[in-house]
Amino acid sequence: SIKDLSFLKLMTRFLTNRIGPTMKKEYESVESEADITRSFVYVPLHYQPEQSTITQGDVFVDQRLFIKILSAALPPGWFIYVKEHPYQWLARGTSFFSLRPRGYYLSLARLKNVRIVPIETNTFTLIQHAKTVATVAGAAAFEAVMQRKTALLFGHVWFQNGPGIFKVDDVSSCKAAFDAIRSGYVVSEDELFAFLAVFDRVSFRGYLDGEWREASSLSLEDNIQNVQSTLFQMLKKPAYN
């Protein structure tokens, strides 16, 4: 870094993170411990930038939008517990950027029924004690369903039509979901097993990028064959003609 003079840029970033405002400092200034005895909706923020919000999230790529909708629809006496993704600061550093601009966490904390909880709070404990989970298209929604809990989903993802998932996008649809939850709706174990069985039946073994190749026992050749044959089957169906 000394040879190419990039140390100047690195030193500026280091000093900014040490002395100036950062995402982490702002977050910690508004966080408070989660009281799991309250009625609350758990909202785990997505890591960004990532496919789950940039494409699958549509307009909810700015996650503040869906949290404001939840806040407006929330039943009296309920709270929203927002927790940052633990990888957000590790991967990108703590400097503000376009999807976490300065004032991001402050704007959420100003909502009367929203609480920012410490990033180290156990996500599975929050799911277990929450009335429901809300997310754009995150895995926490399906993790909730696997615990026979409900979830509110604002984006588009493979399990969006599964049992216990309320597909929402505005205040009225959120209120309808909350009404159903308050009326005692629970995820049926039979429906859950049926959904997983159908998902297994229509799935194929394979991966689409190098990250998953490292975790798979499939050879590259077998993976290519599985992906190719599945695509051909889909193209032969009348709906794709």
Side-chain angles (χ1 to χ4, degrees), residues 15 20 30 40 58 67 73 75 80 92 99 143 159 183-184 188 199 205 228 232:
L15 292 174
V30 294
F40 68 92
D58 199 4
I67 294 172
I80 299 169
R92 287 194 53 90
L99 293 170
E143 289 165 355
F159 55 81
S183 297
S188 163
F199 177 72
R205 293 187 65 212
Q228 177 182 280
F232 284 160

Side-chain angles (χ1 to χ4, degrees), residues 42-48 50-58 60-61 63 66 83 85 123-124 127 132-146 149-161 164-168:
Y42 174 42
V43 175
L45 293 178
H46 285 259
Y47 169 79
Q48 293 182 296
E50 196 176 49
Q51 170 188 321
S52 57
T53 53
I54 289 178
T55 53
Q56 293 171 280
D58 199 4
F60 299 110
V61 63
Q63 297 177 82
F66 93 85
K83 187 170 85 76
H85 195 290
T123 190
F124 297 109
I127 291 174
T132 189
V133 172
T135 181
V136 177
F142 194 67
E143 289 165 355
V145 169
M146 292 297 288
K149 292 262 184 176
T150 58
L152 276 63
L153 197 74
F154 284 78
H156 306 277
V157 70
W158 65 269
F159 55 81
Q160 66 187 40
N161 296 315
I165 299 292
F166 292 95
K167 192 72 174 62
V168 295

Side-chain angles (χ1 to χ4, degrees), residues 206-221 223:
Y207 48 84
L208 299 178
D209 57 47
E211 179 183 357
W212 297 111
R213 179 181 177 183
E214 297 298 322
S216 176
S217 60
L218 280 179
S219 69
L220 179 60
E221 291 74 18
N223 181 68

Side-chain angles (χ1 to χ4, degrees), residues 158 194-203:
W158 65 269
F195 175 77
L196 292 173
V198 171
F199 177 72
D200 179 67
R201 195 177 306 135
V202 300
S203 300

Side-chain angles (χ1 to χ4, degrees), residues 30-238:
V30 294
E31 71 178 16
S32 58
E33 292 296 326
D35 182 354
I36 59 174
T37 65
R38 288 176 167 176
S39 297
F40 68 92
V41 178
Y42 174 42
V43 175
L45 293 178
H46 285 259
Y47 169 79
Q48 293 182 296
E50 196 176 49
Q51 170 188 321
S52 57
T53 53
I54 289 178
T55 53
Q56 293 171 280
D58 199 4
V59 296
F60 299 110
V61 63
D62 186 342
Q63 297 177 82
R64 291 174 295 186
L65 175 58
F66 93 85
I67 294 172
K68 288 177 181 177
I69 291 173
L70 281 176
S71 175
L74 206 64
W78 285 30
F79 291 87
I80 299 169
Y81 287 175
V82 176
K83 187 170 85 76
E84 180 58 280
H85 195 290
Y87 197 54
Q88 185 67 55
W89 304 333
L90 292 175
R92 287 194 53 90
T94 58
S95 299
F96 295 109
F97 71 110
S98 60
L99 293 170
R100 294 288 193 281
R102 190 169 181 175
Y104 186 91
Y105 305 119
L106 288 171
S107 66
L108 293 176
R110 289 191 188 108
L111 298 172
K112 63 180 181 179
N113 46 17
V114 172
R115 300 292 183 270
I116 308 295
V117 302
I119 197 169
E120 62 270 12
T121 309
N122 187 283
T123 190
F124 297 109
T125 299
L126 292 171
I127 291 174
Q128 180 183 356
H129 293 278
K131 293 294 185 182
T132 189
V133 172
T135 181
V136 177
F142 194 67
E143 289 165 355
V145 169
M146 292 297 288
Q147 292 193 39
R148 309 268 310 275
K149 292 262 184 176
T150 58
L152 276 63
L153 197 74
F154 284 78
H156 306 277
V157 70
W158 65 269
F159 55 81
Q160 66 187 40
N161 296 315
I165 299 292
F166 292 95
K167 192 72 174 62
V168 295
D169 58 11
D170 56 18
V171 173
S172 60
S173 57
C174 284
K175 284 185 174 180
F178 287 136
D179 287 343
I181 294 167
R182 295 172 76 189
S183 297
Y185 173 81
V186 293
V187 179
S188 163
E189 190 173 88
D190 290 341
E191 285 183 312
L192 180 57
F193 281 136
F195 175 77
L196 292 173
V198 171
F199 177 72
D200 179 67
R201 195 177 306 135
V202 300
S203 300
F204 70 95
R205 293 187 65 212
Y207 48 84
L208 299 178
D209 57 47
E211 179 183 357
W212 297 111
R213 179 181 177 183
E214 297 298 322
S216 176
S217 60
L218 280 179
S219 69
L220 179 60
E221 291 74 18
D222 287 341
N223 181 68
I224 292 171
Q225 179 60 41
N226 288 357
V227 173
Q228 177 182 280
S229 61
T230 302
L231 286 173
F232 284 160
Q233 289 174 23
M234 292 173 67
L235 290 170
K236 288 178 182 178
K237 290 181 179 180

